[in-house]
Amino acid sequence: MLLSDIRDILEADVLTGEDTAELAKIDIHTACGSDLMSDVLAFVKEQALLLSGLINLQVIRTAEMMDIVAVCFVRGKRPADDVIEYAKRRGITLVATEQPLYNACGMLYDKGLRGRSYAKAL
């Protein structure tokens, strides 16, 4: 699923300044919704979207370490400018939606974006 599609589905704002043409180039293969970065570390999947209510620098550092290409902040939360700038320097796209985490994950799942299955994670 393209990040531009995700933006449209979640009615999300792009925080890192990418235009529509750039978002249409970012292909997301899977998603992970979590506020526990330790759970995200166990997720390990390329071309992933992380959905989280946390807006601190640790979220971006975790995404960077796990090769997560985009982060969606939920519940209307917005990170500080220094977090956005750090993500830009690392090539991580940030979007934000008013949707709660559960709803946002469900909306994306309904449109075909899947997470890592439990059986494969073992």
Side-chain angles (χ1 to χ4, degrees):
M1 179 179 289
L2 297 177
L3 189 53
S4 57
D5 296 329
I6 292 168
R7 180 206 52 211
D8 294 346
I9 292 165
L10 298 178
E11 298 178 0
D13 295 324
V14 181
L15 305 179
T16 50
E18 282 78 4
D19 60 23
T20 301
E22 287 301 311
L23 293 180
K25 295 178 186 175
I26 302 172
D27 193 20
I28 303 294
H29 298 167
T30 188
C32 174
S34 182
D35 286 345
L36 293 173
M37 293 303 103
S38 58
D39 285 349
V40 176
L41 291 173
F43 180 68
V44 189
K45 195 79 168 173
E46 290 184 17
Q47 292 299 112
L49 170 70
L50 170 60
L51 295 100
S52 182
L54 297 179
I55 55 171
N56 60 30
L57 194 56
Q58 190 60 33
V59 174
I60 309 305
R61 289 184 176 142
T62 302
E64 179 183 20
M65 188 172 18
M66 303 311 298
D67 294 323
I68 292 171
V69 297
V71 175
C72 179
F73 298 106
V74 297
R75 298 190 303 272
K77 293 187 173 189
R78 305 287 175 125
D81 290 341
D82 62 323
V83 175
I84 294 171
E85 286 304 314
Y86 186 83
K88 283 182 187 178
R89 289 194 308 270
R90 298 301 187 260
I92 299 169
T93 302
L94 303 180
V95 298
T97 183
E98 295 294 322
Q99 295 292 333
L101 181 60
Y102 184 80
N103 290 5
C105 291
M107 292 165 75
L108 296 175
Y109 187 90
D110 186 54
K111 296 295 183 181
L113 186 61
R114 301 294 187 250
R116 186 174 185 181
S117 71
Y118 181 72
K120 291 180 184 176
L122 294 177

